[in-house]
Amino acid sequence: MLKVSQRGQDMPVSPFRKLAPYAEAARQQGKIVYPLNIGQPDIETPAAAMAAMRTADVRVLGYSHGAGTESYRHKLAAYYQRANLPVKFEDIIVTTGGSEAILFALLTCLNPGDEIIIPEPFYGTYTAFAIAAGVTIVPVTARIEDGFALPPLADFERVITPRTRAVLICNPSNPTGYVYSRAELESILGLCQVHQLYLLSDEAYREFCYDAPYVSALQLPGAGPYVVVLDTISKRYSACGARIGALVTLNKEVYTAAFRFAQMRVSPPGLGMLLAEAAADLPESYFDESKAEYLARRDLTVARLQAMPGVVCPRPGGAFYVLAHLPVDDSETFGQWLLESFSYENQTLMLSPANGFYHTPGLGRQEVRIAYVLNRTDLAAALTCLEHALRGYPGRTMPQSAAALEIAAPLPV
């Protein structure tokens, strides 16, 4: 009897796309659905980058070097150097999005059956990459009460075994928006040095830190042998569809092995690298406008959520996500109800249930990730829908008397 592989059976549904069929059905009914479920920015991709791709004099779109074109790697190295990362073009492997960088890092640094420690909640797709690589995720739980700060080192020490090979962090964090401080990064690197573990650092949101300067794990003293940076232009330049990422490491053994995986898929996307190379030429001031816009969206989102009865929402320091606790029985049930049974002025919204961002069963059941990637007018409208929905949801967990009082109060628009 034909049967798909065990890894195929174990592969999870995307945590930020699992409600998409319900959203499609809602739109077919004529509802406006605000997509706060996925990190797809509505900020325009830089015009200069788009023009470089459109006007390129390319007669044959051929393979590039397996690590990416040398011209792009030189410009990307210059970008990292401006950000105070000690990177040369020979330290960079251009990948098909940040996703491929993550997969290459797992395939390079860990064997099947090895363990990787990841603070949870974490980017849900890490689970899929771990399954593909035959790697076991060992979670260490960050708490919403602490704003999702790095858990105590003792929690990491407690789960280290002879099979532990690496620690994976996302900084700033997807899904929480938490930004690790230099002290936190130094402590986790110190742990890796003591136990001889790799530190895989997903830095996709580097440009979007709002309350403190960004620190890369690769900037820390002694980072060279241990740190592998995973990167992408998807969020930096609002170019998700270009599918251009990077694996960056000063460890030559890691680089050589990862390059063999890169050769296996021949080369990264040629047109995407043309766009990325032009984007890398943009001045530092390019980020001023997009960063200010995301900051304004963060402040709007957090202020509105914190004003909703029963909602707990830490203020994220970076990226463009919040992870909030809602007064609902089950966030996935609530998310489906929003799309199937609720509308306010013929509008509703799509969220990401947070259970898909936790590895420990049962966690995140009352939490959601909200991506504040829409313009502020639409974002405010979506949050107004959420406020109305929380008051009318049959599975709300607020005390009935308090809920009744809130329903009687007028809602801001």
Side-chain angles (χ1 to χ4, degrees), residues 338-359:
L338 280 172
L339 298 166
E340 284 191 318
S341 306
F342 170 82
S343 71
Y344 171 71
E345 296 184 349
N346 203 40
Q347 304 169 94
T348 189
L349 68 154
M350 181 161 50
L351 306 168
S352 287
N355 58 354
F357 299 97
Y358 286 90
H359 196 73

Side-chain angles (χ1 to χ4, degrees), residues 46-120:
M50 295 294 288
M53 188 172 58
R54 283 196 302 267
T55 60
D57 184 15
V58 177
R59 303 299 176 88
V60 177
L61 190 60
Y63 295 127
S64 73
H65 188 284
T69 60
E70 189 168 316
S71 59
Y72 174 51
R73 284 185 288 147
H74 273 292
K75 290 191 176 181
L76 185 55
Y79 159 81
Y80 288 129
Q81 290 160 13
R82 291 194 297 272
N84 298 315
L85 275 68
V87 174
K88 298 178 292 185
F89 88 96
E90 300 98 328
D91 304 320
I92 298 168
I93 296 174
V94 182
T95 58
T96 306
S99 300
E100 191 175 69
I102 297 165
L103 181 59
F104 283 178
L106 294 181
L107 293 171
T108 299
C109 298
L110 295 95
N111 289 311
D114 283 346
E115 297 173 352
I116 185 167
I117 301 173
I118 312 180
E120 65 177 354

Side-chain angles (χ1 to χ4, degrees), residues 17 182 346:
R17 294 182 186 270
R182 177 178 287 273
N346 203 40

Side-chain angles (χ1 to χ4, degrees), residues 159-178:
V159 297
I160 291 175
T161 75
R163 299 299 296 174
T164 307
R165 293 289 180 271
V167 176
L168 170 58
I169 60 172
C170 185
N171 187 37
S173 169
N174 175 6
T176 69
Y178 185 80

